[in-house]
């Protein structure tokens, strides 16, 4: 299983990129379109595009209201650039940010199937017991924030009922210290050495765009193959490829290498599936053999999706919020415009704090 994820806002900067990758021609061995998981942060997100992404069968998960998750800071809200906020946030802070994002997504992308069940913290800052307590209380299924140090073999996803099977990795990270009824879609670090047989040890990298020594398309292609082999030939732990869209969009050479690699994997393997995070959990809870999995219902959902988007021309709502003084932000949605720009204390945008 390969899980491709994208973090942050879905909007006109990356909609075309997603269309190019998930163009309806890339099929899993069961004949269904390949799928990805999108961890959506609220600010600047186009909710009509979120609605369309979900209609196509991709998974929508939450990445907070205020955190941009990218260091370049695309806005100056109170917590954006304060990684410490996330390490020490209260259960209530986490609920406002994550359950709040889910309220916004469900309302403005018109998602009614309770499918928003995943969380990734901004800056990959784990929120310790507070984050996981909130997830239990708010009925989130899984987190995908905890990074596991580069290891051979890599780790399978696990539940938080028991102690984590690896050390709490990352500087100043705040991992849970007691039992929680939540899955962890652990982020296995990727090996970025050019030649793992001979090169000296290099620390791994969790987000693909933080693997700073990938400089050419060829290097990226080799990196993908080598990490694929490490997962495929060792213990078949799901291979996570975690991106920010800008990295692929701003480096056409990397995008070409990536698409070439995806197409090659699909044409050479009848036992490799590009699936969503929830689909991985569904398989772990109900494993199927290679031949059975072709008809595995959870992997056939929204197999190939035709038909029209919910709206061709979304409402473009120019909105303000007391919580964001001096800012007017555009919110695109197929449902009607709210009174205010939805924010932490007013996720529905009704103006009732």
């Amino acid at each position: 299983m390969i899980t491709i994820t994208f973090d942050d806002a879905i909007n006109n900067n990356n909609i075309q990129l997603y269309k190019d990758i998930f163009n309806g021609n890339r099929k899993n061995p069961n004949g269904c379109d390949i799928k990805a998981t999108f961890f959506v942060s609220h600010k600047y997100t186009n909710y009509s595009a979120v609605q369309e992404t979900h209609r196509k069968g991709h998974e929508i998960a939450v990445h907070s209201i205020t955190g941009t998750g990218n260091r370049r800071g695309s806005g100056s809200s109170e917590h954006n650039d304060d990684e410490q906020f996330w390490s020490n946030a209260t259960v209530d802070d986490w609920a406002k940010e994550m359950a709040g994002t889910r309220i916004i997504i469900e309302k403005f992308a018109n998602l009614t199937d309770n499918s928003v069940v995943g969380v990734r913290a901004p800056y990959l800052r784990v929120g310790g017991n507070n984050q996981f307590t909130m997830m239990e209380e708010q009925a989130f299924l899984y987190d995908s924030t905890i990074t596991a140090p580069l290891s051979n073999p890599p780790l399978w996803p696990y539940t938080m009922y028991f102690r984590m099977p690896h050390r709490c990795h990352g500087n100043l990270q705040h991992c849970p210290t007691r039992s929680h009824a939540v899955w962890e879609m652990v982020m296995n670090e990727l090996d970025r050495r050019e030649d793992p047989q001979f090169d000296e040890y290099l620390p791994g990298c969790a987000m693909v765009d933080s693997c700073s020594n990938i400089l050419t398309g060829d290097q990226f292609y080799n990196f993908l193959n080598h990490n694929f082999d490490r997962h495929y030939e060792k213990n078949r732990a799901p291979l996570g490829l975690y991106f920010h869209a800008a990295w692929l969009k701003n480096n056409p050479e990397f995008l070409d290498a990536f698409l070439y690699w995806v197409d090659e994997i699909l044409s050479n393997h009848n036992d490799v599936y590009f699936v969503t995070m929830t689909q991985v959990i569904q398989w772990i809870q109900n494993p199927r053999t290679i031949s059975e999995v072709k008809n595995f219902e959870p992997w056939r959902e929204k197999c190939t999706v035709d038909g029209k988007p919910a709206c061709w021309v979304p409402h473009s709502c120019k909105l303000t919020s007391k919580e964001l003084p001096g800012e007017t932000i555009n919110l695109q949605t197929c449902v009607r415009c709210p009174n205010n720009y939805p924010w932490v204390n007013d996720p529905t945008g009704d103006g009732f704090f």
Side-chain angles (χ1 to χ4, degrees):
M1 294 177 273
I2 299 176
T3 52
I4 298 172
T5 74
F6 289 97
D7 287 6
D8 300 336
I10 296 182
N11 56 33
N12 299 350
N13 295 331
N14 49 37
I15 290 169
Q16 190 53 50
L17 171 76
Y18 299 149
K19 283 184 179 156
D20 293 344
I21 299 172
F22 306 105
N23 59 7
N25 298 327
R26 300 193 164 88
K27 306 280 189 194
N28 281 321
N30 61 359
C32 297
D33 295 347
I34 65 171
K35 304 290 199 292
T37 301
F38 293 80
F39 291 93
V40 178
S41 56
H42 166 51
K43 207 174 189 190
Y44 309 121
T45 279
N46 173 337
Y47 287 97
S48 68
V50 173
Q51 187 167 351
E52 178 61 7
T53 304
H54 171 263
R55 188 180 79 87
K56 290 280 193 193
H58 300 290
E59 179 175 7
I60 306 298
V62 300
H63 197 40
S64 87
I65 295 181
T66 66
T68 55
N70 56 3
R71 296 295 187 286
R72 293 174 289 292
S74 59
S76 54
S77 77
E78 49 195 317
H79 313 314
N80 261 352
D81 305 317
D82 181 9
E83 298 180 29
Q84 281 308 291
F85 167 81
W86 298 97
S87 299
N88 305 317
T90 64
V91 175
D92 194 46
D93 290 331
W94 278 100
K96 281 182 170 170
E97 288 281 357
M98 298 304 184
T101 304
R102 179 165 61 189
I103 289 168
I104 294 171
I105 289 170
E106 288 182 339
K107 178 166 182 182
F108 296 103
N110 202 15
L111 304 196
T112 54
D113 58 0
N114 294 327
S115 60
V116 183
V117 294
V119 168
R120 178 171 286 161
Y123 312 109
L124 302 185
R125 276 292 163 154
V126 187
N129 293 325
N130 286 352
Q131 177 192 339
F132 285 80
T133 299
M134 175 283 295
M135 291 180 65
E136 287 179 292
E137 289 176 357
Q138 303 292 336
F140 281 105
L141 172 67
Y142 70 85
D143 168 72
S144 182
T145 307
I146 296 178
T147 300
L150 182 56
S151 66
N152 243 337
L155 285 160
W156 275 80
Y158 50 85
T159 69
M160 279 293 176
Y161 285 125
F162 309 103
R163 197 165 66 100
M164 287 160 45
H166 58 90
R167 64 188 165 82
C168 186
H169 181 56
N171 88 26
L172 306 175
Q173 277 291 30
H174 202 88
C175 292
T177 55
R178 47 170 220 264
S179 181
H180 299 277
V182 174
W183 279 87
E184 180 56 43
M185 296 299 292
V186 61
M187 301 177 77
N188 282 297
E189 282 192 334
L190 299 164
D191 189 340
R192 58 200 174 106
R193 292 172 297 177
E194 297 260 337
D195 186 345
Q197 310 288 212
F198 299 108
D199 289 355
E200 77 275 28
Y201 179 78
L202 276 180
C205 42
M207 299 292 297
V208 175
D209 35 271
S210 64
C211 304
S212 49
N213 57 339
I214 299 176
L215 302 173
T216 68
D218 285 349
Q219 277 177 318
F220 186 35
Y221 172 76
N222 293 336
F223 162 91
L224 289 167
N225 274 330
H226 156 57
N227 281 290
F228 173 81
D229 291 343
R230 216 163 53 82
H231 284 248
Y232 184 81
E233 285 162 11
K234 286 275 180 359
N235 63 351
R236 296 277 167 108
L239 170 63
L241 299 172
Y242 312 123
F243 296 98
H244 291 98
W247 190 78
L248 287 170
K249 191 182 157 187
N250 299 340
N251 298 287
E253 201 184 337
F254 294 165
L255 178 59
D256 287 346
F258 178 57
L259 294 179
Y260 182 85
W261 176 81
V262 170
D263 291 338
E264 192 174 65
I265 291 288
L266 289 170
S267 66
N268 294 345
H269 295 274
N270 69 345
D271 58 352
V272 176
Y273 284 74
F274 290 81
V275 289
T276 68
M277 297 251 167
T278 293
Q279 286 176 324
V280 170
I281 294 173
Q282 288 167 321
W283 185 90
I284 294 174
Q285 290 178 323
N286 198 350
R288 290 285 183 259
T289 63
I290 305 293
S291 56
E292 293 168 340
V293 87
K294 280 195 165 56
N295 299 312
F296 184 44
E297 270 311 304
W299 287 14
R300 299 198 58 83
E301 224 172 286
K302 297 192 180 174
C303 183
T304 50
V305 178
D306 299 318
K308 300 190 291 290
C311 59
W312 289 111
V313 183
H315 302 294
S316 196
C317 320
K318 291 200 165 20
L319 302 168
T320 58
S321 161
K322 281 185 218 159
E323 297 183 76
L324 297 168
E327 290 192 68
T328 301
I329 305 172
N330 223 351
L331 177 110
Q332 279 127 331
T333 174
C334 293
V335 303
R336 66 182 180 79
C337 292
N339 302 328
N340 297 325
Y341 191 67
W343 205 248
V344 179
N345 292 310
D346 179 23
T348 56
D350 292 333
F352 308 125
F353 284 79

